[in-house]
Amino acid sequence: MQGASRWLWAVGLILLSLAWAQVREGLDLGALNAFKARLEGEVAQGRLPGAVFLVARHGQVVYHEAVGYLDPQTRSPMTREAIFRIYSMTKPLTSALALALAEEGRLSLTDPIHLYLPEFREAKVGVEKPGPGGQPTLELVPASRPITVYDLLRHTSGITYGIFFDSLVKQEYRRMGADAVDQTPEEFLGKLSRLPLQFQPGTIWEYGNSTDLLGHLMERLTGKSLAQLLEERIFKPLGMADAGFLVPQEKQSRIAEPFAIDPLTRQPTPPALDVRRSPKRHSGGAGAVATALDYYRFLQALLNGGELGGRRILSPKSVALMTQDHLGPLYLPSLQRGAPYLPGPGYGFGLGVAVRLADGGSPLPGTAGDYYWGGLFGTYFFVDPKEKLIGVWMMQNPGGRTYYAQLFRSAVYASLR
């Protein structure tokens, strides 16, 4: 009898240890394994080219996996070291750099941008008016106040993109090729300074070239390229070994590629950013590359209050400033006019990231104060300071970016124990 009790006790310990091994830092690894298996099914169905995803909690990387193909054309396997075009996930990096320069007194968030870029002193706003035959015409009116650095950071400058819905101003952006990365900084600034604003500065959140303009402002301020500034101030201190604006030849075999035909739209995938040669200009809004681990290190530094491994990139107060809402009611007009308010229900916007306003009000799982952003070709991250939780999702699949970002986020929160 005593031997049987000992046997049962030993079995119980084994079962307990196995159950404990399935939970690390309060995350259920079994649930994350099930999510990985689902992704492998998505790859087999031809819906997902490949992906790398990383989950960290309490400062520890708990799960870091790769599925599918690095390049669906050659069917080379995806690896955790894959390098991704992160597109708009460049924006938080550029925003953090601006806050670092502000800490040193190199610039102030309330500065008019024409102090650094005088070509933007006489900004005009495009107002659509009824024209002959009911066709709208574009009337230019003076900006009611100067665009500030703060406006660039929170996307209230009135500067837009030529994509995402349509307007007469956006048509002018497309006609002039204002969004193109394949132009020099001087060409970009010259075009943007001549184009009208979509809205009066400070009145509405309007996603656009604000962060690109911010990057070129810092280049003019410092006399260094944005690539140099980010390398010196963020990438090198944080050990982001593969982050940058150019993938050197010896690393180009690690670049993740999209489908030739988007499985959602059944249309050819738009040409991906050429990261195998030096760009004519460094796009602070869309031009960087990184691995999942690189970007995690940046996010962990933010979650730590601005430092990682004893290297500080920002003060805790600057991180707090970056990750709090700066819109107040300004996002409401965007919702009412039907334009794309990308942060979504329940979210305001900080300085480069969307910020959750309350525990309710959003269809996505999360916590008040969490923040996130994503990139055009399907990269995505979120940080939940209250849960000490970070998620990084990397893929090159523009048609599936919303679906997979939400799927990933839901799976990570479902794994919390």
Side-chain angles (χ1 to χ4, degrees):
M1 190 71 178
Q2 189 176 10
S5 298
R6 286 176 178 171
W7 182 83
L8 289 172
W9 180 73
V11 170
L13 278 180
I14 292 171
L15 292 174
L16 182 62
S17 65
L18 288 173
W20 180 256
Q22 285 292 301
V23 177
R24 284 188 56 202
E25 303 297 336
L27 291 166
D28 185 341
L29 301 187
L32 293 175
N33 283 331
F35 172 65
K36 180 186 176 185
R38 174 171 179 175
L39 294 177
E40 289 168 341
E42 298 271 313
V43 171
Q45 294 171 35
R47 291 164 51 88
L48 175 67
V52 177
F53 63 104
L54 181 153
V55 185
R57 199 172 191 210
H58 301 138
Q60 301 296 319
V61 175
V62 175
Y63 207 82
H64 185 195
E65 293 291 337
V67 297
Y69 303 109
L70 182 75
D71 185 336
Q73 277 68 249
T74 64
R75 298 180 77 83
S76 53
M78 181 66 77
T79 71
R80 295 189 303 176
E81 294 73 34
I83 298 172
F84 294 83
R85 303 165 181 88
I86 62 173
Y87 284 90
S88 285
M89 276 170 50
T90 310
K91 289 179 171 72
L93 298 167
T94 304
S95 301
L97 175 64
L99 291 172
L101 295 182
E103 286 185 351
E104 298 174 354
R106 307 285 295 277
L107 56 79
S108 171
L109 301 195
T110 58
D111 285 342
I113 66 170
H114 66 243
L115 294 179
Y116 311 99
L117 302 168
E119 55 266 51
F120 288 86
R121 183 180 295 275
E122 304 295 335
K124 296 289 193 297
V125 180
V127 179
E128 294 190 14
K129 300 278 186 161
Q135 293 297 317
T137 60
L138 195 62
E139 178 181 318
L140 301 185
V141 301
S144 58
R145 67 159 176 79
I147 300 168
T148 65
V149 174
Y150 186 48
D151 287 320
L152 297 181
L153 282 162
R154 64 178 188 156
H155 289 278
T156 56
S157 66
I159 293 167
T160 188
Y161 279 135
I163 57 174
F164 300 124
F165 289 73
D166 197 21
S167 71
L168 293 183
V169 170
K170 287 175 177 288
Q171 289 174 21
E172 288 299 298
Y173 271 65
R174 295 196 293 272
R175 183 181 66 81
M176 293 187 67
D179 298 347
V181 174
D182 191 26
Q183 57 184 327
T184 66
E186 293 73 24
E187 290 170 333
F188 172 79
L189 293 170
K191 291 176 183 178
L192 208 60
S193 64
R194 296 194 303 273
L195 282 164
L197 306 178
Q198 180 74 66
F199 296 102
Q200 287 285 354
T203 63
I204 285 179
W205 188 91
E206 176 72 14
Y207 198 51
N209 281 295
S210 288
T211 315
D212 279 69
L213 183 56
L214 179 63
H216 294 311
L217 182 154
M218 291 188 288
E219 289 180 328
R220 191 171 291 186
L221 171 67
T222 63
K224 295 182 177 181
S225 73
L226 185 62
Q228 289 176 293
L229 290 169
L230 285 171
E231 177 67 23
E232 293 171 3
R233 306 298 296 264
I234 295 180
F235 298 158
K236 187 174 181 180
L238 298 183
M240 299 169 66
D242 296 311
F245 290 85
L246 168 70
V247 181
Q249 187 172 3
E250 65 272 17
K251 296 182 180 181
Q252 290 177 6
S253 62
R254 294 161 51 197
I255 299 173
E257 300 292 357
F259 288 121
I261 303 296
D262 192 302
L264 182 69
T265 65
R266 303 297 181 186
Q267 298 295 318
T269 299
L273 190 68
D274 184 0
V275 294
R276 290 176 169 82
R277 61 184 179 90
S278 296
K280 289 184 180 179
R281 71 179 182 91
H282 297 108
S283 168
V289 299
T291 64
L293 191 60
D294 284 333
Y295 211 89
Y296 157 72
R297 295 182 70 82
F298 170 63
L299 297 176
Q300 189 64 62
L302 295 184
L303 188 55
N304 292 348
E307 67 85 26
L308 182 69
R311 302 297 299 274
R312 181 165 293 282
I313 60 168
L314 285 175
S315 71
K317 286 295 184 182
S318 289
V319 174
L321 187 69
M322 179 179 178
T323 57
Q324 67 189 42
D325 176 53
H326 286 268
L327 292 187
L330 289 186
Y331 72 94
L332 293 174
S334 298
L335 293 176
Q336 290 167 358
R337 68 183 172 84
Y341 180 66
L342 298 182
Y347 280 82
F349 198 79
L351 306 179
V353 292
V355 181
R356 194 179 185 104
L357 301 174
D359 286 334
S362 171
L364 302 176
T367 313
D370 76 48
Y371 51 95
Y372 82 90
W373 207 240
L376 181 66
F377 263 51
T379 57
Y380 174 82
F381 75 85
F382 69 89
V383 178
D384 189 327
K386 290 184 180 177
E387 294 286 355
K388 305 296 183 186
L389 179 67
I390 293 173
V392 181
W393 171 262
M394 296 288 207
M395 72 172 185
Q396 306 283 249
N397 182 15
R401 63 182 181 271
T402 300
Y403 171 76
Y404 286 107
Q406 294 184 1
L407 190 70
F408 170 62
R409 185 185 183 110
S410 296
V412 172
Y413 274 100
S415 75
L416 284 175
R417 296 294 182 264

